[in-house]
């Protein structure tokens, strides 16, 4: 008589059953995460030109903001007043036996330069720019072009608006293109420690700015 042996019963461990399920679930979670990470990384890296444009726009925006802050209390832009017309009044020289006039002779009104070529907003802002730049450069005993550029950058003047920066004897000369909202304001400066001079000038209405086209108003800069 043959004894029939029942087939072996295979018992699966719960631990062995859990491991494949966990790996499958982890794979489903990881795949979308990797896709998201790649997408975010691609957006962060981006095309070089896009990042260059963004980086270049930040200093320009900060420069415009600085101009607005300097001129925040100034009147709105308006066309400059036309210089007086007609022959200029020359002071007469008293003849023999004549008594010179007792009243002081008033100086003639300017017919050119920043006083008549800049609008009210530019003139007001120009005075403020003169003062802040002169005071910042006052403590440089032997200013080099690199030091002057650093000071101007710290004040908010970007490299694209700094022109003609060069050493001239013991001083460093420079010009600032401050044209904004159709204005013509610019500054001419000579950094030389306590002999620093910063003056308003008139830039071309349109086109590139070059120091050769400036016309300076040679007034002493304010003393800090």
């Amino acid at each position: 008589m043959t004894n029939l042996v029942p087939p072996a019963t295979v018992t699966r461990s719960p631990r062995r059953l859990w491991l494949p399920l966990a790996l499958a679930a982890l794979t489903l979670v990881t795949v979308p995460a990797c896709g998201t990470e790649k997408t975010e990384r691609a957006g962060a890296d981006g095309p070089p030109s896009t990042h260059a444009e963004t980086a270049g726009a930040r200093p320009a925006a900060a420069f415009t903001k600085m101009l607005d802050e300097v001129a925040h209390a100034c009147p709105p832009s308006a066309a400059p007043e036309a210089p007086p017309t007609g022959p200029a009044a020359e002071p007469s020289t008293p003849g023999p036996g004549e008594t010179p006039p007792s009243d002081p002779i008033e100086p003639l009104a300017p017919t050119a330069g920043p006083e008549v070529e800049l609008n009210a907003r530019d003139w007001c802002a120009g005075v403020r720019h003169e003062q802040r730049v002169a005071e910042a450069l006052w403590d440089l005993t032997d200013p080099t072009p690199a030091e002057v550029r650093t000071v101007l950058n710290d004040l908010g003047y970007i490299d694209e608006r700094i022109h003609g920066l060069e050493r001239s004897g013991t001083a460093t000369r420079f010009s600032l293109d401050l044209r904004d909202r159709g204005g013509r304001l610019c500054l001419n400066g000579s950094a030389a420690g306590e002999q620093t001079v910063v003056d308003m000038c008139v830039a071309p209405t349109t086109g590139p700015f070059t120091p050769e086209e400036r016309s300076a108003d040679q007034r002493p800069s304010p003393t800090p």
Side-chain angles (χ1 to χ4, degrees):
M1 181 175 181
T2 304
N3 294 328
L4 298 178
V5 179
T9 303
V10 179
T11 303
R12 295 191 177 183
S13 170
R15 178 179 179 83
R16 293 181 180 177
L17 184 60
W18 173 84
L19 183 58
L21 293 176
L23 291 175
L26 181 60
T27 302
L28 292 176
V29 174
T30 305
V31 170
C34 292
T36 304
E37 182 180 356
K38 291 180 180 179
T39 303
E40 293 177 351
R41 184 178 301 170
D45 294 341
S49 59
T50 303
H51 284 282
E53 293 174 359
T54 303
R58 290 174 183 171
F63 174 73
T64 302
K65 181 180 179 181
M66 181 271 292
L67 293 181
D68 290 339
E69 290 175 351
V70 172
H72 76 280
C74 294
S77 298
E81 296 181 0
T85 58
E90 293 289 343
S92 58
T93 303
E98 295 182 354
T99 304
S102 57
D103 297 334
I105 300 175
E106 296 183 0
L108 299 178
T111 58
E115 293 91 339
V116 296
E117 297 180 62
L118 295 178
N119 59 43
R121 183 177 186 271
D122 277 352
W123 178 259
C124 170
V127 174
R128 297 168 184 264
H129 285 291
E130 282 182 345
Q131 182 175 357
R132 70 195 303 263
V133 172
E135 289 179 354
L137 297 174
W138 186 267
D139 294 331
L140 297 181
T141 56
D142 186 23
T144 64
E147 290 175 328
V148 172
R149 183 183 297 276
T150 298
V151 170
L152 295 176
N153 288 159
D154 290 343
L155 292 175
Y157 303 99
I158 57 179
D159 289 339
E160 290 78 2
R161 298 298 190 103
I162 302 174
H163 301 274
L165 187 60
E166 61 181 2
R167 190 76 180 224
S168 178
T170 59
T172 293
R173 299 176 57 191
F174 62 93
S175 295
L176 291 176
D177 178 7
L178 303 179
R179 290 178 293 181
D180 181 45
R181 301 181 185 181
R184 303 180 62 189
L185 177 63
C186 63
L187 291 185
N188 288 331
S190 176
E194 295 182 357
Q195 303 301 318
T196 295
V197 176
V198 181
D199 293 319
M200 274 186 282
C201 59
V202 181
T205 305
T206 58
F209 175 88
T210 56
E212 291 76 17
E213 294 176 338
R214 63 193 181 185
S215 57
D217 171 27
Q218 299 297 329
R219 294 182 296 108
S221 298
T223 302

